[in-house]
Amino acid sequence: MAQSQRISQQPSQLVDSYGRVHRDLRISVTDRCNFRCSYCMPPEGLPWLPREEVLTFEEIVRVARLLIDRFGISSIRLTGGEPTVRAHLPALVGQLASLGVELALTTNGATLRLLADDLAKAGLNRINISLDTLDPERFRNLTHRDSLPQVLDGIDAACQAGLHPVKINTVVMRGANDDEILDFAEFGRSRGVEVRFIEFMPLDAESNWEDQSVVGVDEIVSRIGSVYPLEPLAQGSEPASRYRYLDGQGHVGVIASVTRSFCHLCDRVRLTADGQFRNCLFATSELDLRALLRGGASDDEIAAAMAGSVAEKWAGHQIGQVAFIRPRRSMSQIGG
Ligand code: SAM
Ligand code: SF4
């Protein structure tokens, strides 16, 4: 990270040795899932965590509260695995919303018709719904589930429940669904939802990722822009490179983790379902917060441990370089 200078740590912020201040927390509430997306999980699933290893709501809220009160974390996203398979999710949303942060959820959308109202009433603000194809048969092949109608209905349910903005996450894989880039752009434009294309990352449980399967941001933007002209927007700390349709029909984004890494802007820390604190999605080591939480550690001790972990954060993930090491756990086990 040549462009950033190392600075010394400040006590009231979660700041690393490159000066990146951390304000965003991703919490995985479960490693389990009701889908089997090919770029994430094998068809037979993964060995699930024993229930006693998964953090309770009380433990999750304690960590969140500490990060908010001590370090000014201002936004939280719940994820998984599939977060909606965790029982009583709206109750957790309610507890976290009462801490006064911006609260978001990433979900596969399959059960949103049942849950969207309760989540919105509990205080959820924003939602990202993952959808990688608009073709029912391809959906079956990609997810090993026959749930496209439910997901489409879930998107409507989220909009009707007043969650805003509703965004669509679309992982693009060469030869699998890249022929649908324009269809998704049109889907977003017609429904008034922002589509976020995601470059395929080497975090699939089956290790099928290879350079050639990645469709990069430049290609995605040029394919859309040749039909619907686009103008780039300035990138803040958010991971997406965002573009505005010049005809005023909304925005589209690309999370270009592979070809246009945004590590130098990263403001994110993560808590896995089993209570491991991670300073990077691609980190190869974790801080065992569950052991501290269950071992009687004080708030000061837990806060100091998290600050120490962030202080050690590396400059970036180095995907595509010889030095890149895949994390031991895959996407659904970390929390995407
Ligand atoms: N189950 C929820 C879902 O699918 O939205 C939340 C968890 S999922 C791991 C979070 C996001 O990570 C989803 O948008 C999913 O498409 C994305 N994802 C999973 N594996 C990925 C991979 N190997 N590369 C890029 N994105 C991936
Ligand atoms: Fe489940 Fe989300 Fe992974 Fe798909 S991407 S298998 S929905 S955790």
Side-chain angles (χ1 to χ4, degrees):
M1 177 179 240
Q3 69 269 47
S4 300
Q5 285 201 318
R6 286 181 168 253
I7 62 166
S8 60
Q9 190 176 330
Q10 295 166 18
S12 59
Q13 290 183 321
L14 218 40
V15 61
D16 67 20
S17 62
Y18 298 92
R20 293 171 295 194
V21 177
H22 294 71
R23 300 201 183 284
D24 185 53
L25 168 65
R26 294 235 158 167
I27 301 175
S28 172
V29 298
T30 180
D31 61 322
R32 295 172 192 235
C33 189
N34 46 358
F35 280 18
R36 298 288 182 270
C37 305
S38 62
Y39 53 77
C40 182
M41 254 193 220
E44 66 279 11
L46 290 164
W48 308 132
L49 291 167
R51 282 186 196 282
E52 65 277 10
E53 289 184 15
V54 174
L55 292 194
T56 63
F57 285 179
E58 199 182 1
E59 289 167 332
I60 292 173
V61 172
R62 183 175 175 202
V63 174
R65 189 192 298 278
L66 267 174
L67 285 166
I68 294 164
D69 292 350
R70 304 279 179 117
F71 301 118
I73 287 284
S74 55
S75 59
I76 294 179
R77 178 174 293 275
L78 299 177
T79 182
E82 173 48 40
T84 59
V85 306
R86 176 92 189 237
H88 313 299
L89 184 68
L92 176 64
V93 167
Q95 291 176 42
L96 293 171
S98 73
L99 303 179
V101 283
E102 178 78 12
L103 204 53
L105 176 77
T106 302
T107 171
N108 63 30
T111 59
L112 275 183
R113 175 54 66 191
L114 300 172
L115 275 174
D117 269 337
D118 287 348
L119 291 168
K121 281 187 194 130
L124 185 71
N125 305 114
R126 302 185 276 123
I127 195 159
N128 286 46
I129 301 168
S130 301
L131 178 60
D132 309 304
T133 177
L134 297 166
D135 175 78
E137 193 182 333
R138 190 177 271 181
F139 188 98
R140 264 194 304 279
N141 290 333
L142 217 63
T143 64
H144 295 90
R145 297 293 182 269
D146 198 6
S147 305
L148 179 59
Q150 287 85 339
V151 175
L152 292 173
D153 187 43
I155 293 170
D156 289 341
C159 294
Q160 287 155 12
L163 294 169
H164 186 78
V166 173
K167 293 182 182 164
I168 307 300
N169 284 7
T170 303
V171 178
V172 187
M173 289 159 296
R174 175 101 42 215
N177 65 346
D178 59 318
D179 56 341
E180 291 190 64
I181 289 173
L182 211 53
D183 297 339
F184 269 104
E186 285 164 359
F187 179 86
R189 286 164 56 85
S190 65
R191 300 229 181 180
V193 294
E194 183 167 325
V195 175
R196 301 220 147 174
F197 294 99
I198 304 177
E199 291 180 355
F200 181 26
M201 292 182 259
L203 286 171
D204 54 317
E206 298 185 287
S207 296
N208 287 326
W209 183 92
E210 51 184 10
D211 282 348
Q212 295 89 322
S213 48
V214 178
V215 182
V217 56
D218 291 341
E219 182 176 340
I220 293 172
V221 169
S222 108
R223 284 213 221 167
I224 299 171
S226 64
V227 180
Y228 301 107
L230 292 167
E231 143 183 290
L233 300 173
Q235 188 167 8
S237 62
E238 60 177 349
S241 301
R242 293 184 72 224
Y243 300 81
R244 186 179 79 82
Y245 288 109
L246 285 180
D247 64 5
Q249 288 264 32
H251 301 90
V252 65
V254 183
I255 301 184
S257 320
V258 179
T259 68
R260 197 185 287 170
S261 144
F262 40 84
C263 299
H264 62 292
L265 297 173
C266 182
D267 70 344
R268 190 167 294 172
V269 290
R270 295 168 186 273
L271 182 64
T272 66
D274 56 347
Q276 305 301 302
F277 184 79
R278 297 177 66 90
N279 59 23
C280 173
L281 176 59
F282 292 92
T284 48
S285 64
E286 301 174 329
L287 165 67
D288 190 355
L289 272 192
R290 191 186 64 209
L292 291 176
L293 289 163
R294 297 186 181 174
S298 67
D299 283 355
D300 284 348
E301 286 166 335
I302 294 172
M306 292 192 288
S309 165
V310 172
E312 285 171 8
K313 180 162 171 161
W314 56 21
H317 57 53
Q318 301 187 296
I319 294 173
Q321 297 173 35
V322 196
F324 176 69
I325 303 170
R326 272 181 85 109
R328 185 176 50 83
R329 305 211 263 181
S330 56
M331 188 67 124
S332 64
Q333 298 167 318
I334 297 169

